[in-house]
Each structure stands twice: as C-alpha cells, then as structure tokens.
Amino acid sequence: MIVVRRAEPADSDGVWRTFQDEAAYSGTLQTPFPSREVWRKRVAEPPEGDYVLVACVDAEIVGHAGLHSTGKSPRRAHAMAIGMAVKADWQGKGVGTALMRAIVELADDWLNVIRLELTVYVDNERAIALYRKFGFEIEGTHRAYALRAGRYVDAHAMARIKHKT
C-alpha cells in the first residue's frame, strides 16, 4: 500500500537515496552525486509556500513530489510548479499516480491553484502519459533544454488549468 504524506525533516535521507539512482535523477534537473546536506535543507527547510510530499511503502520512501511557487510576482500567484521523482524499482507501480493525485488534490482543493505546470523530457513517455492522465497538456517544446549524460535534450512544457465549476 502506497501512503502519501507531507515530508518531515527525518525523511531527507530517504529522498536523498532516491537520487542515488540514475533512473531517478536523469529524468529531472538534478545532477549525479547529490549532497545529503542539500537534500536535508530542501526537505527540512522548504521555501515558504512550497510543499514536499513523500510516497512510502511500509517504512521506505519510494518517491517524492514537490509543489513549488513560480515566483514572487502577485501576477503569478495562481500558478505552481511540480517536480517529482520515483525510485527506479518502484517506477510503473502506481507511485507516480499516488503522488500526482495528492499534489492535484492539494492544489485544487486546498490552495486554490488555477495553473499547475511542469517540464518533462520529450523521451519520458511514461511520465508524459501520467501527466496527461491528470489533465496536463503539452504547451510547447523547449529545444536543447538541459544537458543529460553529455547531450542536450528537449523538454515539453506541460500545464493543467483548473476551470471553475
């Protein structure tokens, strides 16, 4: 059973462990050899208004997701950005779905976020399918978006607009 909850400072080591695996960090903007201290600060001291969630199976952290402010401008207060990573051996087992469900419910039902946005590498078909399942649409493609394993890769800009009901 996958349990999603708010990250606590003690979870930083489990989040750090996620990024020990190339399958997890290569799908993000993280780099190899992550610092435990950097992850301790990110989990224990997130910026005001940011939310970090962890997905757990038993006592193991198998993935995490963040909901992050898009900046200080009041004109962007309606939007937040999503970042997510799942341990390689837990990919394709519902962890991403559980994290996305929790993030979308938090944004829609408790934070009044109208626009959720993210970037995803164009070759990450599993993630793109997950995001589409939650109503995200591709808005454009960033060419040579990021360096990954010595090559520049493209990324899609995806967003989900919550329409008033």
Side-chain angles (χ1 to χ4, degrees):
M1 178 180 208
I2 301 164
V3 175
V4 176
R5 62 173 173 77
R6 184 87 178 254
E8 299 290 337
D11 295 327
S12 65
D13 209 50
V15 173
W16 170 79
R17 278 190 181 88
T18 302
F19 288 108
Q20 298 302 301
D21 188 338
E22 183 179 1
Y25 68 73
S26 67
T28 72
L29 288 175
Q30 304 304 313
T31 56
F33 315 113
S35 160
R36 270 193 165 134
E37 179 60 14
V38 166
W39 281 106
R40 185 200 65 75
K41 285 182 180 178
R42 286 182 184 172
V43 172
E45 305 166 20
E48 182 68 30
D50 281 12
Y51 297 84
V52 179
L53 305 180
V54 292
C56 304
V57 174
D58 298 321
E60 180 185 4
I61 294 173
V62 296
H64 75 281
L67 190 56
H68 309 284
S69 168
T70 56
K72 296 189 185 299
S73 172
R75 295 177 66 186
R76 293 278 291 148
H78 67 292
M80 293 189 86
I82 296 173
M84 182 188 321
V86 175
K87 281 187 167 180
D89 53 340
W90 283 94
Q91 292 176 6
K93 297 180 180 176
V95 175
T97 297
L99 285 164
M100 281 301 295
R101 184 177 297 113
I103 286 286
V104 168
E105 286 176 4
L106 177 63
D108 284 356
D109 298 342
W110 299 99
L111 302 178
N112 199 29
V113 175
I114 303 299
R115 178 183 171 84
L116 288 173
E117 55 193 39
L118 56 86
T119 54
V120 58
Y121 295 123
V122 297
D123 60 357
N124 193 342
E125 294 173 10
R126 183 180 280 166
I128 293 167
L130 171 67
Y131 303 142
R132 283 190 165 136
K133 182 166 75 171
F134 282 89
F136 284 77
E137 298 177 0
I138 294 172
E139 295 185 323
T141 301
H142 302 284
R143 301 290 177 211
Y145 181 74
L147 186 67
R148 181 180 66 190
R151 294 200 166 134
Y152 286 99
V153 292
D154 298 347
H156 292 309
M158 295 186 77
R160 173 187 175 274
I161 309 296
K162 177 185 171 188
H163 297 286
K164 293 183 180 184
T165 56

